[in-house]
Amino acid sequence: MRYLLNNLDDAWTLVLIHLRLSLVPIILGLLIAVPLGAFAQRTTALRRLTTVTASIIFTIPSLALFVVLPLIIPTRILDEANVIVALTLYTTALLVRAVPEALDAVPEPVRDAATAVGYKPLTRMLKVELPLSIPVLVAGLRVVAVTNISMVAVGSVIGIGGLGTWFTEGYQANKSDQIIAGIIAIFVLAVVIDALIMLAGRAITPWARAAA
């Protein structure tokens, strides 16, 4: 803890890098997974295909993916883009399964009522189903955020920046206090981001609070 307090400036710099590498993939993953998951939810065969594909992607070890990606896309192992693409794949793999489950949680009578008042399928999806599925989707998003924060720390093994560098530097210099400081900082960062996502989810779903 003393190491963390004595190196707050370095910690803040590493936190910003860590946040960039973990949160940008979440935004990109949402942009991909929400429309894909909403489309797959309506077709059983496509839903099974996306689920199987997502499961295969998520079973690939993160460290192996960081190393293999430069052989597929024009990046280098130490490029931040390499980590962002890898984590975007993981984020999409998690969320593309969460989106159909979130939409399944919307009560069927609500869908029927929206259709009865004249909503077209696309309009009903955007104005009724997706908003009502937000609480379930936020739960999945919280898991993704914490997972990404931990995976960015793994990237420090191959030289990617972030709070995980305190692990490698502490190990190389035999400084246990630096390693512990890195663990504490990552834990606190994960808790803060999780809490912020939870609060944001409550803020944009006032009807859920009213029902509670």
Side-chain angles (χ1 to χ4, degrees):
M1 192 66 180
R2 181 177 299 175
Y3 183 92
L4 179 60
L5 295 176
N6 291 337
N7 295 272
L8 289 178
D9 290 340
D10 290 341
W12 178 244
T13 300
L14 294 175
V15 164
L16 294 179
I17 296 173
H18 210 102
L19 285 175
R20 182 169 65 248
L21 292 175
S22 56
L23 297 186
V24 170
I26 293 178
I27 297 172
L28 296 176
L30 275 173
L31 294 176
I32 298 170
V34 170
L36 181 58
F39 183 69
Q41 191 249 357
R42 299 178 176 276
T43 308
T44 302
L46 183 58
R47 183 168 182 171
R48 289 176 180 173
L49 178 61
T50 55
T51 299
V52 171
T53 304
S55 298
I56 292 173
I57 292 174
F58 199 72
T59 55
I60 301 173
S62 57
L63 195 57
L65 190 58
F66 292 153
V67 175
V68 170
L69 267 180
L71 303 176
I72 304 173
I73 59 176
T75 62
R76 296 177 301 174
I77 291 180
L78 298 182
D79 285 347
E80 287 191 3
N82 188 43
V83 176
I84 289 174
V85 171
L87 293 186
T88 298
L89 288 174
Y90 284 127
T91 299
T92 303
L94 283 172
L95 290 180
V96 80
R97 292 181 294 181
V99 171
E101 293 173 357
L103 293 173
D104 289 342
V106 178
E108 193 62 34
V110 174
R111 292 193 179 94
D112 294 339
T115 302
V117 298
Y119 282 117
K120 300 293 183 182
L122 180 59
T123 306
R124 186 185 69 190
M125 173 67 70
L126 295 176
K127 293 188 175 182
V128 178
E129 295 180 38
L130 278 178
L132 291 178
S133 68
I134 287 176
V136 178
L137 189 57
V138 165
L141 194 60
R142 292 171 64 187
V143 174
V144 170
V146 174
T147 301
N148 279 8
I149 289 173
S150 64
M151 284 186 175
V152 170
V154 174
S156 65
V157 176
I158 58 174
I160 301 300
L163 290 168
T165 57
W166 277 2
F167 296 164
T168 54
E169 291 176 358
Y171 177 78
Q172 292 168 356
N174 196 25
K175 293 182 177 179
S176 59
D177 56 342
Q178 187 176 12
I179 297 174
I180 294 173
I183 294 173
I184 293 173
I186 291 174
F187 174 77
V188 171
L189 181 63
V191 170
V192 170
I193 294 301
D194 178 71
L196 289 176
I197 293 175
M198 180 183 65
L199 293 174
R202 290 181 179 178
I204 61 178
T205 55
W207 57 87
R209 297 201 308 274

